[in-house]
Amino acid sequence: MFNSIESYRDAGEKAGRASKNHDAGVVSHWKRWLSQALCLETEPDRKTARQAYDQAYSSVATPSVSYFK
């Protein structure tokens, strides 16, 4: 891998926090970063990197508690 898996997780967390705070500019920045970073990876590594980003994003952006019971 060109970038570490941790860098993809970190980017996903930052994008997730920004999404939760309705900060579209920061979300857009991290999506562009992801797109450019994935271009540097080989095909099998792209899938792994994308999964790490997506999992980190959803763990932060998605509320863990439902307030609408």
Side-chain angles (χ1 to χ4, degrees), residues 1-12 30 32-42 44-50 52-53:
M1 278 195 131
F2 187 79
N3 294 300
S4 70
I5 198 72
E6 190 57 40
S7 63
Y8 290 103
R9 285 188 193 118
D10 185 49
W30 287 110
R32 277 192 316 272
W33 178 89
L34 176 65
S35 177
Q36 292 172 349
L38 289 176
C39 288
L40 300 172
E41 305 295 353
T42 62
D45 288 342
R46 284 182 193 157
K47 186 175 182 178
T48 303
R50 182 65 195 215
Y53 177 92

Side-chain angles (χ1 to χ4, degrees), residues 3-4 11 16 21 23 25 28 39 43 45 49 51-52 55 57-58 66:
N3 294 300
S4 70
N21 293 324
D23 191 342
S28 178
C39 288
E43 190 59 40
D45 288 342
Q51 287 175 339
Q55 288 173 347
Y57 179 94
S58 42
S66 175

